[in-house]
Amino acid sequence: MRVVSAAEVERYLTWEGLIKRLHTTFVNGVESPPRHHHAMHRPDGEATMLLMPAWEPAGYIGVKMVNVFPQNAQHNIPAISGLYLLSEGKHGQPLACIDGSELTRRRTAAASALAAQALANEAAETLLVVGTGKLAPMVIEAHASIRPIKRVLVWGRNPEKASAIAEAYADRFDTQVVSDLQDAVVQADIVSCVTLSTEPLIKGEWLTPGTHVDLIGAFRPQMRETDAECLRRSVVFVDTYAGAKGEAGDILQAIDEGAFRFEDIKAELAEVLAGTKPGRRSAEAITLFKSVGASLEDLAAAIEVWEAINQ
């Protein structure tokens, strides 16, 4: 069995290849049971273990184990860590143990970029990244691979971390650290949120026509990055209906507040990509994509890594 390091994942998972692989996998589909979601009560706070299995009907089999420790931010350690076990489908024999953290970072950002291909305006040039964790750089790179991003605004609770991200990409984009989130949202063509917030950061009243809102961070019912008005004003899409119904805090809390209904979701990503339901229908529409992560994304990314290594 091959052990695949984070450096190899970074090397072999190109944005073009990964986004194309994700597109194919979403359209063709895989078997993907609901992920196992376990709260762990630790001495220094609550953590989460996620187990995410998926398999092709006649092909690869995979499962990811992820540990989420929000309290790691206090120690300058990534909040998310894990591994992915990929097996072949004929006899179920393990092929590779792949670094799960890098795989997750890249597939998560790539899934949002894939959605943005259908939902964001083609001329989108200004990207606002809300959050300064390990996903923030991935979001910048992924969106820039599918839209003509020229300007990147970075907002975070830690100004030093925001500055570090802005400086890292200053040679590729016009980057700026912002402190006024409302003003930054007004300026942005794409607003990408990658936080572990439990309180709304983006308000619907701030959104302007044509904006695409990309919500990545909140993956549990008690988490949210937007208020209910944000959903009410937007054309809402999700990565999967099942994930949204079980874990998308932005949606579930807006429903509890009586401002949104699950039936108001226009489509899941596979329907948009397959052409059975439309994506963006006008340049002025405000679109919103809520993802909580799907095991088919991990399987697609793991297959892409494995086949790139062995080509």
Side-chain angles (χ1 to χ4, degrees), residues 127-208:
L127 170 67
L128 167 62
V129 179
V130 181
T132 56
K134 292 293 185 178
L135 259 174
M138 298 295 92
V139 165
I140 295 172
E141 294 181 15
H143 281 293
S145 76
I146 56 92
R147 284 294 182 265
I149 302 299
K150 296 179 180 179
R151 188 168 175 237
V152 176
L153 310 177
V154 184
W155 180 93
R157 291 190 175 93
N158 187 320
E160 292 183 2
K161 289 184 178 181
S163 295
I165 293 170
E167 290 173 7
Y169 287 93
D171 60 336
R172 292 177 54 187
F173 310 100
D174 174 12
T175 61
Q176 180 183 348
V177 175
V178 295
S179 56
D180 187 332
L181 193 52
Q182 177 177 355
D183 181 63
V185 169
V186 170
Q187 297 180 54
D189 299 309
I190 299 175
V191 177
S192 187
C193 297
V194 284
T195 75
L196 296 175
S197 179
T198 57
E199 298 293 335
L201 298 171
I202 308 299
K203 296 185 178 181
E205 65 186 53
W206 300 346
L207 301 177
T208 56

Side-chain angles (χ1 to χ4, degrees), residues 165-303:
I165 293 170
E167 290 173 7
Y169 287 93
D171 60 336
R172 292 177 54 187
F173 310 100
D174 174 12
T175 61
Q176 180 183 348
V177 175
V178 295
S179 56
D180 187 332
L181 193 52
Q182 177 177 355
D183 181 63
V185 169
V186 170
Q187 297 180 54
D189 299 309
I190 299 175
V191 177
S192 187
C193 297
V194 284
T195 75
L196 296 175
S197 179
T198 57
E199 298 293 335
L201 298 171
I202 308 299
K203 296 185 178 181
E205 65 186 53
W206 300 346
L207 301 177
T208 56
T211 302
H212 174 61
V213 182
D214 172 38
L215 303 179
I216 298 174
F219 63 93
R220 297 186 66 181
Q222 65 268 37
M223 295 177 174
R224 70 190 306 186
E225 297 176 303
T226 58
D227 65 4
E229 180 68 4
C230 196
L231 273 76
R232 193 192 66 78
R233 292 193 62 203
S234 302
V235 185
V236 177
F237 302 83
V238 297
D239 53 355
T240 66
Y241 290 126
K245 197 166 191 176
E247 299 175 322
D250 294 88
I251 292 173
L252 297 176
Q253 292 185 51
I255 291 174
D256 288 343
E257 294 166 7
F260 192 76
R261 301 175 305 159
F262 193 79
E263 294 75 20
D264 292 331
I265 296 171
K266 294 303 180 185
E268 64 178 1
L269 185 54
E271 294 172 322
V272 175
L273 299 177
T276 59
K277 290 188 178 180
R280 172 176 286 274
R281 305 188 75 171
S282 73
E284 294 75 30
I286 298 171
T287 54
L288 184 149
F289 176 66
K290 175 57 195 155
S291 64
V292 296
S295 57
L296 71 84
E297 299 168 8
D298 299 298
L299 181 61
I303 294 170

Side-chain angles (χ1 to χ4, degrees), residues 93-139:
Q93 299 300 298
L95 296 173
C97 182
I98 305 171
D99 182 89
S101 299
E102 191 65 22
L103 190 84
T104 300
R105 285 208 306 157
R106 290 179 177 270
R107 70 80 155 149
T108 301
S112 282
L114 176 60
Q117 282 186 319
L119 303 178
N121 274 314
E122 291 186 5
E125 295 184 348
T126 299
L127 170 67
L128 167 62
V129 179
V130 181
T132 56
K134 292 293 185 178
L135 259 174
M138 298 295 92
V139 165

Side-chain angles (χ1 to χ4, degrees), residues 18-41:
L18 178 54
I19 292 170
K20 184 177 179 180
R21 175 79 67 170
L22 284 171
H23 186 287
T24 299
T25 304
F26 267 104
V27 171
N28 292 342
V30 299
E31 296 290 332
S32 53
R35 67 184 178 191
H36 299 258
H37 192 288
H38 302 282
M40 300 186 294
H41 303 287

